[in-house]
Amino acid sequence: MNDQSPRRSGGRAARRAARAAPLAAADRPIRAGMPGGRYRPLTDADVQKIHHAALEALETIGLADAPPSGVEILTKAGAVQGDDGRIRFSPALVEDSLALACKSFTLHGRDPRHDLELGGARVHYGTAGAAVNMVDVDGRNYRHSTVQDLHDAARIVQQLDNVHFLQRPMVCRDIEDNREMDLNSIYACCAGTTKHIGMSFSEPDFALSGLELLHMIAGGEDAWRARPFMSNTNCFVVPPLKFATEACQVMENCIRGGMPVLLLSAGMAGATAPSTVAGAITQAVAECLAGVVYVNAVKPGHPAIFGTWPFGLDLRTGAMCVGSGEQALLSSGCAQMHQFYGIPGGAAGGACDSKLPDMQAGWEQMCSNVMTGLAGLNMVYEAAGMHASLLGFCHESLILSDDLIGQAMRCVRGIEVDDETLALDQMREVCLGGPGHYLGTGQTMARMERDHVYPSLGNRMSPKEWDEMGKPDLIANAIAKKEAILSQPSPVAFEPSVDQDIRARFNIHLPR
């Protein structure tokens, strides 16, 4: 026995070291772009009813408040402006625009390792929300969000395997000038992560300045157009069924500048959208179909995400309820409509109404993250860190969401059934003269890293071991991980010469 102990110890240590080593991307149990789509809350007949109702809304109700440039673009494409000023769309025009629309495309990262392939039912999770506050978990209170907070969020996202993209999760309330806020938001995000970034612009001219900054970061306009690593999050409509005039002009500038766009319709069921799940989905689909016509009239085939984002409402109080079961159904039904049209789509999932990263936050975040993933939603926005019905963002919750999304992605992956996974050979080996258990068998060891997702911070200790280890606390561990990430310089910071040129051209508020 004494002779065997060192050998066993060495073998165990080697196995632990092997398990600790990062897996090749193809061997990971979960990864960006895994196909979902197994969950279908709508029947085929339901999908057709929603489609035809949306077409009827576009033909008979139309959308108001298009900017003059939009009126010209849309009427040249075949839409009709009525005496009431509303733009109406025939079913034939919508179908023609859908035929022109881009069916799949790449959302680039500055690092190609982070490229996201959109289309079909491939699923990606990321941030979003434009919160105006930060959650202080130590003090259990809220404070205004800053450009430093945004930069820190980008740096954290860079280190999280299961958060695939960064859409601006908060606004920089310490920068009063809107143009400077937009430009500093671009700088803060790009200086923190090389994953794909989503950003909005307050005014049309700000988009042109933003493109100039992006050209400098990319190394020139040609380099930017070859790999646009930022998309424009564009609330081009103000539900119900009105264009957002300035946002439409922003969108036009972004399309011409080679930037992918997220066509975002964010009605609130019971307030700015019908209170029923089906009605809210129908209105969002109609509004985004109008956006598809608009985008393809500006530039046929331009990359655009079908951004149906209907939100839930607590009809007792009028408060948003993004953590509800209804929200999960809204976004999952939208995912099914995206697949019906064959256009990459996005919706909200993973946000919560809870004010802190507590048990309520956990059930709310997991519910819609799992359901939207199973439904095959291409872009699950707001999937990490978002609290208080989009009013607060939390760095610690962002870190914890990496584990949460990992488990959601394992659900998306589903169950593989083949001769190897049915494991009859293992049963024979173990049961017929074998050890009577599967612990330590070759097959178990070979598949344990490829089949199973292990939490980074989630605790699976026994109560005895937990007590012996000093009763580790989830939030305290998240704080420690945040501090460890932010204590190091950003590994993706700009080259000094690039940074100097940017700061000479723009008023950058982040310290060097």
Side-chain angles (χ1 to χ4, degrees), residues 102-166:
C102 189
K103 303 302 189 296
S104 63
F105 55 88
T106 301
L107 284 182
H108 297 285
R110 269 181 37 241
D111 185 334
R113 292 180 303 166
H114 300 308
D115 287 356
L116 307 179
E117 302 299 328
L118 269 59
R122 291 191 286 270
V123 180
H124 310 86
Y125 290 90
T127 64
V132 295
N133 297 297
M134 288 298 297
V135 181
D136 172 12
V137 294
D138 278 336
R140 295 173 60 84
N141 55 38
Y142 279 53
R143 61 170 175 79
H144 289 178
S145 49
T146 69
V147 68
Q148 184 66 57
D149 294 323
L150 180 58
H151 180 55
D152 290 347
R155 294 179 60 195
I156 292 169
V157 165
Q158 179 70 12
Q159 304 300 322
L160 303 180
D161 286 341
N162 300 326
V163 181
H164 306 134
F165 62 91
L166 174 76

Short mmCIF file of all heavy atoms in Angstrom, two decimals, residues 102-166:
data_model
loop_
_atom_site.label_atom_id
_atom_site.label_comp_id
_atom_site.label_asym_id
_atom_site.label_seq_id
_atom_site.Cartn_x
_atom_site.Cartn_y
_atom_site.Cartn_z
N CYS A 102 -30.50 40.37 -45.32
CA CYS A 102 -29.36 39.50 -45.01
C CYS A 102 -29.81 38.38 -44.08
O CYS A 102 -30.35 38.65 -43.00
CB CYS A 102 -28.26 40.34 -44.36
SG CYS A 102 -26.71 39.49 -44.14
N LYS A 103 -29.60 37.14 -44.47
CA LYS A 103 -30.12 35.99 -43.72
C LYS A 103 -29.13 35.47 -42.68
O LYS A 103 -29.52 34.76 -41.76
CB LYS A 103 -30.49 34.86 -44.69
CG LYS A 103 -31.51 35.25 -45.76
CD LYS A 103 -32.81 35.77 -45.15
CE LYS A 103 -33.90 35.96 -46.18
NZ LYS A 103 -33.57 37.00 -47.18
N SER A 104 -27.87 35.75 -42.85
CA SER A 104 -26.87 35.36 -41.87
C SER A 104 -25.65 36.24 -42.07
O SER A 104 -25.35 36.66 -43.19
CB SER A 104 -26.50 33.88 -42.01
OG SER A 104 -25.90 33.63 -43.26
N PHE A 105 -24.97 36.53 -40.98
CA PHE A 105 -23.77 37.37 -41.07
C PHE A 105 -22.96 37.21 -39.80
O PHE A 105 -23.39 36.60 -38.82
CB PHE A 105 -24.12 38.84 -41.33
CG PHE A 105 -25.07 39.45 -40.34
CD1 PHE A 105 -24.62 40.04 -39.17
CD2 PHE A 105 -26.44 39.45 -40.59
CE1 PHE A 105 -25.49 40.61 -38.27
CE2 PHE A 105 -27.33 40.03 -39.69
CZ PHE A 105 -26.85 40.61 -38.53
N THR A 106 -21.77 37.77 -39.84
CA THR A 106 -20.85 37.72 -38.70
C THR A 106 -20.87 39.05 -37.97
O THR A 106 -20.71 40.10 -38.59
CB THR A 106 -19.42 37.41 -39.18
OG1 THR A 106 -19.42 36.16 -39.87
CG2 THR A 106 -18.47 37.33 -38.00
N LEU A 107 -21.06 38.99 -36.67
CA LEU A 107 -20.78 40.14 -35.81
C LEU A 107 -19.34 39.99 -35.36
O LEU A 107 -19.00 39.09 -34.58
CB LEU A 107 -21.72 40.18 -34.60
CG LEU A 107 -23.15 40.64 -34.83
CD1 LEU A 107 -23.92 40.65 -33.52
CD2 LEU A 107 -23.21 42.01 -35.49
N HIS A 108 -18.48 40.86 -35.88
CA HIS A 108 -17.06 40.72 -35.63
C HIS A 108 -16.68 41.24 -34.26
O HIS A 108 -17.28 42.17 -33.72
CB HIS A 108 -16.27 41.50 -36.68
CG HIS A 108 -16.45 40.99 -38.08
ND1 HIS A 108 -15.86 39.84 -38.53
CD2 HIS A 108 -17.18 41.48 -39.12
CE1 HIS A 108 -16.20 39.63 -39.79
NE2 HIS A 108 -17.01 40.61 -40.17
N GLY A 109 -15.66 40.62 -33.69
CA GLY A 109 -14.95 41.20 -32.57
C GLY A 109 -13.66 41.83 -33.08
O GLY A 109 -13.22 41.52 -34.20
N ARG A 110 -13.04 42.68 -32.28
CA ARG A 110 -11.72 43.16 -32.69
C ARG A 110 -10.73 42.01 -32.74
O ARG A 110 -9.80 42.03 -33.54
CB ARG A 110 -11.22 44.25 -31.72
CG ARG A 110 -11.65 45.61 -32.20
CD ARG A 110 -11.22 46.80 -31.39
NE ARG A 110 -9.93 46.79 -30.78
CZ ARG A 110 -9.74 46.86 -29.47
NH1 ARG A 110 -10.76 46.89 -28.64
NH2 ARG A 110 -8.53 46.90 -28.97
N ASP A 111 -10.94 41.03 -31.91
CA ASP A 111 -10.18 39.78 -31.99
C ASP A 111 -11.07 38.75 -32.69
O ASP A 111 -12.18 38.46 -32.23
CB ASP A 111 -9.84 39.29 -30.58
CG ASP A 111 -8.95 38.07 -30.58
OD1 ASP A 111 -8.99 37.29 -31.56
OD2 ASP A 111 -8.23 37.86 -29.58
N PRO A 112 -10.62 38.17 -33.81
CA PRO A 112 -11.45 37.22 -34.55
C PRO A 112 -11.91 36.02 -33.73
O PRO A 112 -12.91 35.37 -34.08
CB PRO A 112 -10.54 36.78 -35.71
CG PRO A 112 -9.58 37.89 -35.89
CD PRO A 112 -9.34 38.45 -34.52
N ARG A 113 -11.22 35.72 -32.62
CA ARG A 113 -11.66 34.61 -31.77
C ARG A 113 -13.06 34.85 -31.21
O ARG A 113 -13.74 33.89 -30.83
CB ARG A 113 -10.69 34.41 -30.60
CG ARG A 113 -9.31 33.90 -30.99
CD ARG A 113 -8.47 33.75 -29.74
NE ARG A 113 -8.37 35.01 -29.00
CZ ARG A 113 -7.93 35.09 -27.74
NH1 ARG A 113 -7.57 34.00 -27.09
NH2 ARG A 113 -7.85 36.28 -27.15
N HIS A 114 -13.46 36.10 -31.16
CA HIS A 114 -14.75 36.45 -30.56
C HIS A 114 -15.83 36.71 -31.61
O HIS A 114 -16.90 37.25 -31.28
CB HIS A 114 -14.60 37.66 -29.65
CG HIS A 114 -13.65 37.44 -28.51
ND1 HIS A 114 -13.73 36.36 -27.66
CD2 HIS A 114 -12.56 38.16 -28.09
CE1 HIS A 114 -12.77 36.43 -26.77
NE2 HIS A 114 -12.04 37.51 -27.01
N ASP A 115 -15.58 36.39 -32.87
CA ASP A 115 -16.59 36.58 -33.91
C ASP A 115 -17.83 35.74 -33.59
O ASP A 115 -17.72 34.59 -33.13
CB ASP A 115 -16.04 36.17 -35.27
CG ASP A 115 -15.04 37.17 -35.83
OD1 ASP A 115 -14.81 38.20 -35.20
OD2 ASP A 115 -14.48 36.89 -36.92
N LEU A 116 -19.00 36.30 -33.86
CA LEU A 116 -20.28 35.62 -33.62
C LEU A 116 -20.97 35.39 -34.95
O LEU A 116 -21.22 36.35 -35.70
CB LEU A 116 -21.17 36.46 -32.71
CG LEU A 116 -20.55 36.92 -31.38
CD1 LEU A 116 -21.55 37.78 -30.60
CD2 LEU A 116 -20.10 35.73 -30.54
N GLU A 117 -21.28 34.15 -35.26
CA GLU A 117 -21.97 33.80 -36.50
C GLU A 117 -23.46 33.77 -36.24
O GLU A 117 -23.97 32.89 -35.55
CB GLU A 117 -21.48 32.44 -37.02
CG GLU A 117 -19.98 32.37 -37.25
CD GLU A 117 -19.50 33.35 -38.30
OE1 GLU A 117 -20.28 33.64 -39.24
OE2 GLU A 117 -18.36 33.85 -38.19
N LEU A 118 -24.18 34.74 -36.82
CA LEU A 118 -25.62 34.87 -36.59
C LEU A 118 -26.40 34.21 -37.71
O LEU A 118 -26.05 34.34 -38.89
CB LEU A 118 -26.02 36.34 -36.49
CG LEU A 118 -26.01 36.95 -35.09
CD1 LEU A 118 -24.64 36.85 -34.46
CD2 LEU A 118 -26.48 38.39 -35.12
N GLY A 119 -27.48 33.56 -37.34
CA GLY A 119 -28.35 32.91 -38.31
C GLY A 119 -28.91 31.63 -37.74
O GLY A 119 -28.40 31.09 -36.75
N GLY A 120 -29.97 31.13 -38.35
CA GLY A 120 -30.58 29.90 -37.86
C GLY A 120 -31.03 30.06 -36.43
O GLY A 120 -31.67 31.05 -36.06
N ALA A 121 -30.70 29.06 -35.60
CA ALA A 121 -31.07 29.10 -34.19
C ALA A 121 -29.83 29.13 -33.30
O ALA A 121 -29.86 28.68 -32.16
CB ALA A 121 -31.92 27.88 -33.85
N ARG A 122 -28.72 29.69 -33.82
CA ARG A 122 -27.49 29.78 -33.03
C ARG A 122 -27.65 30.84 -31.94
O ARG A 122 -28.09 31.95 -32.20
CB ARG A 122 -26.31 30.10 -33.94
CG ARG A 122 -25.95 28.96 -34.88
CD ARG A 122 -24.62 29.20 -35.58
NE ARG A 122 -24.73 30.21 -36.62
CZ ARG A 122 -25.02 29.96 -37.89
NH1 ARG A 122 -25.26 28.71 -38.28
NH2 ARG A 122 -25.07 30.93 -38.78
N VAL A 123 -27.24 30.49 -30.72
CA VAL A 123 -27.55 31.28 -29.53
C VAL A 123 -26.29 31.94 -28.98
O VAL A 123 -25.23 31.31 -28.87
CB VAL A 123 -28.17 30.39 -28.44
CG1 VAL A 123 -28.49 31.21 -27.18
CG2 VAL A 123 -29.44 29.71 -28.97
N HIS A 124 -26.41 33.24 -28.64
CA HIS A 124 -25.33 34.01 -28.01
C HIS A 124 -25.92 34.85 -26.88
O HIS A 124 -27.02 35.39 -27.01
CB HIS A 124 -24.66 34.93 -29.03
CG HIS A 124 -24.26 34.25 -30.30
ND1 HIS A 124 -25.14 34.08 -31.35
CD2 HIS A 124 -23.10 33.67 -30.68
CE1 HIS A 124 -24.52 33.45 -32.34
NE2 HIS A 124 -23.29 33.18 -31.96
N TYR A 125 -25.17 34.96 -25.80
CA TYR A 125 -25.61 35.73 -24.64
C TYR A 125 -24.68 36.92 -24.42
O TYR A 125 -23.47 36.82 -24.58
CB TYR A 125 -25.57 34.85 -23.38
CG TYR A 125 -26.60 33.75 -23.32
CD1 TYR A 125 -26.32 32.49 -23.83
CD2 TYR A 125 -27.85 33.97 -22.74
CE1 TYR A 125 -27.26 31.47 -23.76
CE2 TYR A 125 -28.79 32.96 -22.67
CZ TYR A 125 -28.49 31.71 -23.18
OH TYR A 125 -29.42 30.70 -23.11
N GLY A 126 -25.28 38.05 -24.01
CA GLY A 126 -24.48 39.23 -23.73
C GLY A 126 -25.21 40.23 -22.88
O GLY A 126 -26.33 40.00 -22.41
N THR A 127 -24.59 41.38 -22.69
CA THR A 127 -25.15 42.44 -21.86
C THR A 127 -26.01 43.38 -22.71
O THR A 127 -26.06 43.27 -23.92
CB THR A 127 -24.04 43.24 -21.18
OG1 THR A 127 -23.26 43.90 -22.20
CG2 THR A 127 -23.14 42.35 -20.35
N ALA A 128 -26.63 44.32 -22.04
CA ALA A 128 -27.38 45.43 -22.66
C ALA A 128 -28.10 46.15 -21.53
O ALA A 128 -28.00 45.77 -20.37
CB ALA A 128 -28.37 44.94 -23.72
N GLY A 129 -28.85 47.19 -21.89
CA GLY A 129 -29.76 47.77 -20.92
C GLY A 129 -29.67 49.26 -20.69
O GLY A 129 -30.65 49.89 -20.32
N ALA A 130 -28.49 49.87 -20.86
CA ALA A 130 -28.35 51.31 -20.64
C ALA A 130 -28.91 51.75 -19.29
O ALA A 130 -29.66 52.71 -19.17
CB ALA A 130 -29.02 52.09 -21.77
N ALA A 131 -28.51 51.03 -18.24
CA ALA A 131 -28.94 51.39 -16.88
C ALA A 131 -28.37 52.75 -16.51
O ALA A 131 -27.32 53.18 -17.02
CB ALA A 131 -28.47 50.33 -15.89
N VAL A 132 -29.03 53.41 -15.58
CA VAL A 132 -28.58 54.74 -15.13
C VAL A 132 -27.94 54.67 -13.75
O VAL A 132 -27.49 55.69 -13.23
CB VAL A 132 -29.74 55.75 -15.12
CG1 VAL A 132 -30.24 56.00 -16.53
CG2 VAL A 132 -30.89 55.27 -14.23
N ASN A 133 -27.92 53.48 -13.17
CA ASN A 133 -27.37 53.31 -11.83
C ASN A 133 -26.47 52.08 -11.75
O ASN A 133 -26.62 51.14 -12.54
CB ASN A 133 -28.49 53.14 -10.79
CG ASN A 133 -29.38 54.35 -10.68
OD1 ASN A 133 -28.94 55.42 -10.30
ND2 ASN A 133 -30.66 54.18 -10.99
N MET A 134 -25.59 52.10 -10.77
CA MET A 134 -24.78 50.95 -10.41
C MET A 134 -25.27 50.39 -9.08
O MET A 134 -25.62 51.15 -8.16
CB MET A 134 -23.31 51.32 -10.28
CG MET A 134 -22.62 51.62 -11.59
SD MET A 134 -22.58 50.21 -12.72
CE MET A 134 -21.59 49.06 -11.77
N VAL A 135 -25.28 49.06 -8.99
CA VAL A 135 -25.64 48.40 -7.74
C VAL A 135 -24.40 48.27 -6.88
O VAL A 135 -23.40 47.68 -7.30
CB VAL A 135 -26.24 47.00 -8.01
CG1 VAL A 135 -26.63 46.34 -6.70
CG2 VAL A 135 -27.44 47.10 -8.95
N ASP A 136 -24.45 48.83 -5.69
CA ASP A 136 -23.37 48.69 -4.71
C ASP A 136 -23.76 47.56 -3.77
O ASP A 136 -24.59 47.74 -2.88
CB ASP A 136 -23.19 50.00 -3.96
CG ASP A 136 -22.20 49.90 -2.79
OD1 ASP A 136 -21.50 48.88 -2.71
OD2 ASP A 136 -22.17 50.83 -1.97
N VAL A 137 -23.17 46.37 -3.97
CA VAL A 137 -23.60 45.22 -3.18
C VAL A 137 -23.13 45.33 -1.73
O VAL A 137 -23.79 44.79 -0.83
CB VAL A 137 -23.10 43.90 -3.80
CG1 VAL A 137 -23.75 43.66 -5.14
CG2 VAL A 137 -21.59 43.87 -3.93
N ASP A 138 -22.01 46.00 -1.49
CA ASP A 138 -21.54 46.15 -0.10
C ASP A 138 -22.49 47.02 0.71
O ASP A 138 -22.89 46.67 1.82
CB ASP A 138 -20.14 46.76 -0.09
CG ASP A 138 -19.05 45.72 -0.32
OD1 ASP A 138 -19.31 44.53 -0.03
OD2 ASP A 138 -17.97 46.07 -0.80
N GLY A 139 -22.86 48.16 0.14
CA GLY A 139 -23.73 49.08 0.86
C GLY A 139 -25.21 48.83 0.65
O GLY A 139 -26.05 49.49 1.25
N ARG A 140 -25.54 47.88 -0.25
CA ARG A 140 -26.93 47.56 -0.58
C ARG A 140 -27.68 48.83 -1.01
O ARG A 140 -28.78 49.11 -0.55
CB ARG A 140 -27.63 46.90 0.61
CG ARG A 140 -27.07 45.54 0.97
CD ARG A 140 -27.69 44.99 2.25
NE ARG A 140 -29.12 44.85 2.14
CZ ARG A 140 -29.74 43.79 1.61
NH1 ARG A 140 -29.03 42.79 1.12
NH2 ARG A 140 -31.06 43.73 1.55
N ASN A 141 -27.06 49.59 -1.92
CA ASN A 141 -27.72 50.78 -2.42
C ASN A 141 -27.32 51.01 -3.87
O ASN A 141 -26.57 50.24 -4.46
CB ASN A 141 -27.38 52.00 -1.54
CG ASN A 141 -25.88 52.21 -1.41
OD1 ASN A 141 -25.12 52.01 -2.35
ND2 ASN A 141 -25.44 52.61 -0.21
N TYR A 142 -27.85 52.10 -4.43
CA TYR A 142 -27.63 52.44 -5.83
C TYR A 142 -26.96 53.80 -5.93
O TYR A 142 -27.20 54.69 -5.11
CB TYR A 142 -28.98 52.48 -6.58
CG TYR A 142 -29.50 51.13 -7.00
CD1 TYR A 142 -29.65 50.10 -6.09
CD2 TYR A 142 -29.84 50.88 -8.32
CE1 TYR A 142 -30.12 48.86 -6.47
CE2 TYR A 142 -30.32 49.64 -8.73
CZ TYR A 142 -30.46 48.63 -7.80
OH TYR A 142 -30.92 47.40 -8.19
N ARG A 143 -26.11 53.96 -6.96
CA ARG A 143 -25.49 55.25 -7.24
C ARG A 143 -25.44 55.45 -8.75
O ARG A 143 -25.64 54.51 -9.52
CB ARG A 143 -24.06 55.28 -6.67
CG ARG A 143 -23.14 54.22 -7.27
CD ARG A 143 -21.69 54.44 -6.87
NE ARG A 143 -20.82 53.36 -7.35
CZ ARG A 143 -20.37 53.23 -8.59
NH1 ARG A 143 -20.72 54.13 -9.52
NH2 ARG A 143 -19.58 52.24 -8.94
N HIS A 144 -25.18 56.68 -9.18
CA HIS A 144 -25.12 56.97 -10.61
C HIS A 144 -23.96 56.21 -11.26
O HIS A 144 -22.87 56.07 -10.69
CB HIS A 144 -24.93 58.46 -10.84
CG HIS A 144 -26.14 59.27 -10.51
ND1 HIS A 144 -26.18 60.65 -10.61
CD2 HIS A 144 -27.38 58.90 -10.10
CE1 HIS A 144 -27.38 61.08 -10.26
NE2 HIS A 144 -28.12 60.04 -9.95
N SER A 145 -24.19 55.73 -12.48
CA SER A 145 -23.15 55.01 -13.23
C SER A 145 -22.22 56.01 -13.91
O SER A 145 -22.62 57.12 -14.28
CB SER A 145 -23.78 54.08 -14.26
OG SER A 145 -24.76 54.76 -15.03
N THR A 146 -20.96 55.61 -14.11
CA THR A 146 -19.93 56.48 -14.66
C THR A 146 -19.22 55.81 -15.83
O THR A 146 -19.36 54.61 -16.06
CB THR A 146 -18.89 56.84 -13.59
OG1 THR A 146 -18.14 55.65 -13.27
CG2 THR A 146 -19.55 57.38 -12.32
N VAL A 147 -18.39 56.58 -16.51
CA VAL A 147 -17.61 56.02 -17.61
C VAL A 147 -16.62 54.99 -17.09
O VAL A 147 -16.32 54.00 -17.78
CB VAL A 147 -16.91 57.14 -18.41
CG1 VAL A 147 -15.82 57.82 -17.59
CG2 VAL A 147 -16.32 56.59 -19.70
N GLN A 148 -16.11 55.17 -15.89
CA GLN A 148 -15.21 54.18 -15.31
C GLN A 148 -15.95 52.86 -15.07
O GLN A 148 -15.40 51.77 -15.29
CB GLN A 148 -14.62 54.69 -14.00
CG GLN A 148 -13.58 53.75 -13.38
CD GLN A 148 -12.33 53.62 -14.23
OE1 GLN A 148 -11.68 54.61 -14.54
NE2 GLN A 148 -11.99 52.39 -14.64
N ASP A 149 -17.19 52.94 -14.62
CA ASP A 149 -18.00 51.73 -14.43
C ASP A 149 -18.19 50.98 -15.75
O ASP A 149 -18.14 49.74 -15.79
CB ASP A 149 -19.38 52.09 -13.87
CG ASP A 149 -19.32 52.66 -12.46
OD1 ASP A 149 -18.48 52.19 -11.66
OD2 ASP A 149 -20.11 53.57 -12.15
N LEU A 150 -18.41 51.74 -16.82
CA LEU A 150 -18.60 51.11 -18.13
C LEU A 150 -17.31 50.43 -18.58
O LEU A 150 -17.33 49.29 -19.07
CB LEU A 150 -19.04 52.17 -19.15
CG LEU A 150 -19.27 51.67 -20.57
CD1 LEU A 150 -20.33 50.57 -20.62
CD2 LEU A 150 -19.68 52.83 -21.48
N HIS A 151 -16.20 51.11 -18.41
CA HIS A 151 -14.90 50.52 -18.77
C HIS A 151 -14.64 49.26 -17.95
O HIS A 151 -14.18 48.23 -18.48
CB HIS A 151 -13.81 51.55 -18.55
CG HIS A 151 -12.43 51.07 -18.90
ND1 HIS A 151 -12.11 50.54 -20.13
CD2 HIS A 151 -11.28 51.02 -18.16
CE1 HIS A 151 -10.83 50.20 -20.16
NE2 HIS A 151 -10.31 50.47 -18.96
N ASP A 152 -14.95 49.32 -16.66
CA ASP A 152 -14.75 48.14 -15.81
C ASP A 152 -15.64 46.99 -16.25
O ASP A 152 -15.21 45.83 -16.24
CB ASP A 152 -15.04 48.51 -14.35
CG ASP A 152 -13.98 49.44 -13.75
OD1 ASP A 152 -12.91 49.59 -14.37
OD2 ASP A 152 -14.24 50.00 -12.67
N ALA A 153 -16.87 47.28 -16.64
CA ALA A 153 -17.76 46.22 -17.13
C ALA A 153 -17.18 45.56 -18.37
O ALA A 153 -17.22 44.33 -18.52
CB ALA A 153 -19.15 46.79 -17.42
N ALA A 154 -16.63 46.38 -19.28
CA ALA A 154 -16.02 45.82 -20.49
C ALA A 154 -14.83 44.93 -20.15
O ALA A 154 -14.65 43.86 -20.73
CB ALA A 154 -15.58 46.96 -21.42
N ARG A 155 -14.03 45.36 -19.20
CA ARG A 155 -12.86 44.56 -18.79
C ARG A 155 -13.29 43.24 -18.17
O ARG A 155 -12.64 42.21 -18.36
CB ARG A 155 -12.00 45.37 -17.82
CG ARG A 155 -11.35 46.60 -18.46
CD ARG A 155 -10.53 47.38 -17.45
NE ARG A 155 -9.47 46.53 -16.91
CZ ARG A 155 -8.78 46.83 -15.82
NH1 ARG A 155 -9.05 47.95 -15.15
NH2 ARG A 155 -7.83 46.02 -15.38
N ILE A 156 -14.37 43.27 -17.40
CA ILE A 156 -14.87 42.03 -16.80
C ILE A 156 -15.41 41.09 -17.87
O ILE A 156 -15.13 39.89 -17.89
CB ILE A 156 -15.94 42.35 -15.74
CG1 ILE A 156 -15.30 43.06 -14.54
CG2 ILE A 156 -16.65 41.08 -15.28
CD1 ILE A 156 -16.30 43.66 -13.57
N VAL A 157 -16.21 41.64 -18.81
CA VAL A 157 -16.76 40.82 -19.89
C VAL A 157 -15.65 40.13 -20.67
O VAL A 157 -15.78 38.98 -21.09
CB VAL A 157 -17.64 41.68 -20.82
CG1 VAL A 157 -17.93 40.97 -22.14
CG2 VAL A 157 -18.95 42.04 -20.12
N GLN A 158 -14.55 40.81 -20.87
CA GLN A 158 -13.42 40.23 -21.61
C GLN A 158 -12.95 38.92 -20.97
O GLN A 158 -12.48 38.02 -21.66
CB GLN A 158 -12.27 41.24 -21.67
CG GLN A 158 -11.02 40.77 -22.39
CD GLN A 158 -11.20 40.64 -23.90
OE1 GLN A 158 -12.20 41.11 -24.46
NE2 GLN A 158 -10.25 40.01 -24.57
N GLN A 159 -13.13 38.79 -19.65
CA GLN A 159 -12.63 37.63 -18.93
C GLN A 159 -13.68 36.54 -18.73
O GLN A 159 -13.38 35.50 -18.13
CB GLN A 159 -12.10 38.07 -17.55
CG GLN A 159 -11.03 39.14 -17.60
CD GLN A 159 -9.80 38.70 -18.37
OE1 GLN A 159 -9.39 37.56 -18.29
NE2 GLN A 159 -9.20 39.63 -19.13
N LEU A 160 -14.89 36.74 -19.22
CA LEU A 160 -15.99 35.78 -18.97
C LEU A 160 -16.28 34.99 -20.23
O LEU A 160 -16.73 35.53 -21.23
CB LEU A 160 -17.24 36.53 -18.50
CG LEU A 160 -17.07 37.41 -17.24
CD1 LEU A 160 -18.40 38.08 -16.89
CD2 LEU A 160 -16.56 36.58 -16.06
N ASP A 161 -16.05 33.69 -20.18
CA ASP A 161 -16.22 32.84 -21.36
C ASP A 161 -17.65 32.79 -21.86
O ASP A 161 -17.89 32.66 -23.06
CB ASP A 161 -15.77 31.41 -21.04
CG ASP A 161 -14.27 31.27 -20.95
OD1 ASP A 161 -13.56 32.16 -21.46
OD2 ASP A 161 -13.81 30.28 -20.36
N ASN A 162 -18.62 32.88 -20.96
CA ASN A 162 -20.01 32.65 -21.35
C ASN A 162 -20.79 33.93 -21.65
O ASN A 162 -21.97 33.87 -21.97
CB ASN A 162 -20.74 31.86 -20.26
CG ASN A 162 -20.09 30.50 -20.03
OD1 ASN A 162 -19.59 29.89 -20.97
ND2 ASN A 162 -20.09 30.04 -18.79
N VAL A 163 -20.13 35.08 -21.56
CA VAL A 163 -20.73 36.35 -21.98
C VAL A 163 -20.07 36.70 -23.30
O VAL A 163 -18.91 37.07 -23.35
CB VAL A 163 -20.52 37.45 -20.93
CG1 VAL A 163 -21.17 38.76 -21.39
CG2 VAL A 163 -21.11 37.02 -19.59
N HIS A 164 -20.83 36.56 -24.38
CA HIS A 164 -20.23 36.52 -25.72
C HIS A 164 -20.07 37.89 -26.36
O HIS A 164 -19.30 38.02 -27.32
CB HIS A 164 -21.09 35.63 -26.62
CG HIS A 164 -21.30 34.27 -26.05
ND1 HIS A 164 -22.54 33.66 -26.02
CD2 HIS A 164 -20.44 33.40 -25.47
CE1 HIS A 164 -22.41 32.47 -25.46
NE2 HIS A 164 -21.16 32.29 -25.11
N PHE A 165 -20.80 38.89 -25.89
CA PHE A 165 -20.70 40.22 -26.48
C PHE A 165 -21.04 41.25 -25.41
O PHE A 165 -21.63 40.94 -24.37
CB PHE A 165 -21.63 40.38 -27.69
CG PHE A 165 -23.10 40.21 -27.38
CD1 PHE A 165 -23.89 41.30 -27.03
CD2 PHE A 165 -23.70 38.96 -27.43
CE1 PHE A 165 -25.24 41.15 -26.74
CE2 PHE A 165 -25.05 38.80 -27.15
CZ PHE A 165 -25.82 39.89 -26.79
N LEU A 166 -20.64 42.48 -25.68
CA LEU A 166 -20.90 43.59 -24.76
C LEU A 166 -21.75 44.63 -25.49
O LEU A 166 -21.25 45.32 -26.38
CB LEU A 166 -19.59 44.24 -24.31
CG LEU A 166 -19.75 45.50 -23.45
CD1 LEU A 166 -20.16 45.12 -22.03
CD2 LEU A 166 -18.46 46.32 -23.41
#
